[in-house]
Amino acid sequence: MAETEQPLLIKRYASRRLYNTESSDYVTLEDIASFIREGREVQIVDLKSGDDLTRQYLLQIIAEHEGRGENVLPLAVLTDLVRSYTTSASTVVPQFLQMSFDMLRDGQSKMMENMSTMNPMAKMPGFEAMQAQQEAFLKAMTGGFSGNWSGPGREDDDRPRGKSGDKGEDLESIKAELAKLQKKLSDLDG
């Protein structure tokens, strides 16, 4: 994202109702989840104390989705997360999770990039419309992971980038990173 957009401020009243300060109306957890899926950052604060409640509400949104059978987090991952709160691994887990999601997001964007540059149909009339449909489908199937997460355009993103012509090397790099991630996950399980 080129410009730094302010997070959408949601205030929680004493009645536990959530108030969208931008649109001046009350919102639900599902509304907040929709804002996030659309790429908005949100911040939820308690009106009286000023405490930041964002983490608590995001966890509640995840719990509700998991409770409805929309299982994204495998049981083993949830178990390991619970364990990490009681072990010294709690210092490593946040960085590991962030790196994992960064790799997922980067892999998805590189896959979309490769679809357009390596596809022989790219020269066909109407290809752009078909590609837009493919991107929308992929975004829907992955739950919008390519949304507004910190990405390659970030100023504080100091990860090394390959040359734009190194598509094969990028793919190999993704495969190598994925293999490392799988090894780390299996090490955590065992």
Side-chain angles (χ1 to χ4, degrees), residues 1-21:
M1 187 186 271
E3 61 185 55
T4 56
E5 189 176 314
Q6 289 288 80
L8 173 60
L9 181 61
I10 307 288
K11 293 182 179 179
R12 183 183 78 173
Y13 284 88
S15 64
R16 301 218 180 271
R17 292 190 72 187
L18 300 168
Y19 184 77
N20 180 342
T21 60

Side-chain angles (χ1 to χ4, degrees), residues 8 10-11 16-20 23 25-37 42 44 57-58 60-61 64-65 68:
L8 173 60
I10 307 288
K11 293 182 179 179
R16 301 218 180 271
R17 292 190 72 187
L18 300 168
Y19 184 77
N20 180 342
S23 61
D25 62 350
Y26 291 101
V27 293
T28 64
L29 284 179
E30 192 53 44
D31 294 329
I32 293 171
S34 294
F35 298 144
I36 294 169
R37 280 191 290 274
V42 297
I44 304 168
Y57 277 93
L58 293 180
Q60 188 174 345
I61 290 169
E64 285 189 10
H65 282 274
R68 289 192 300 241

Side-chain angles (χ1 to χ4, degrees), residues 140-158:
M141 294 306 294
T142 59
F145 280 149
S146 67
N148 194 14
W149 292 0
S150 54
R154 267 186 18 194
E155 293 172 16
D156 63 337
D157 186 2
D158 57 358

Side-chain angles (χ1 to χ4, degrees), residues 12 38 72 113 117 133 140 187:
R12 183 183 78 173
E38 292 168 2
V72 172
E113 191 178 301
T117 58
Q133 288 176 334
D187 289 347

Side-chain angles (χ1 to χ4, degrees), residues 59-106:
L59 287 169
Q60 188 174 345
I61 290 169
I62 291 168
E64 285 189 10
H65 282 274
E66 290 285 322
R68 289 192 300 241
E70 301 171 29
N71 300 331
V72 172
L73 299 169
L75 188 57
V77 171
L78 292 171
T79 303
D80 286 341
L81 281 172
V82 170
R83 281 189 191 114
S84 73
Y85 280 95
T86 59
T87 66
S88 61
S90 65
T91 59
V92 176
V93 171
Q95 292 101 0
F96 174 75
L97 290 174
Q98 184 62 52
M99 285 177 17
S100 300
F101 276 99
D102 286 347
M103 285 174 40
L104 177 64
R105 183 201 60 248
D106 290 347

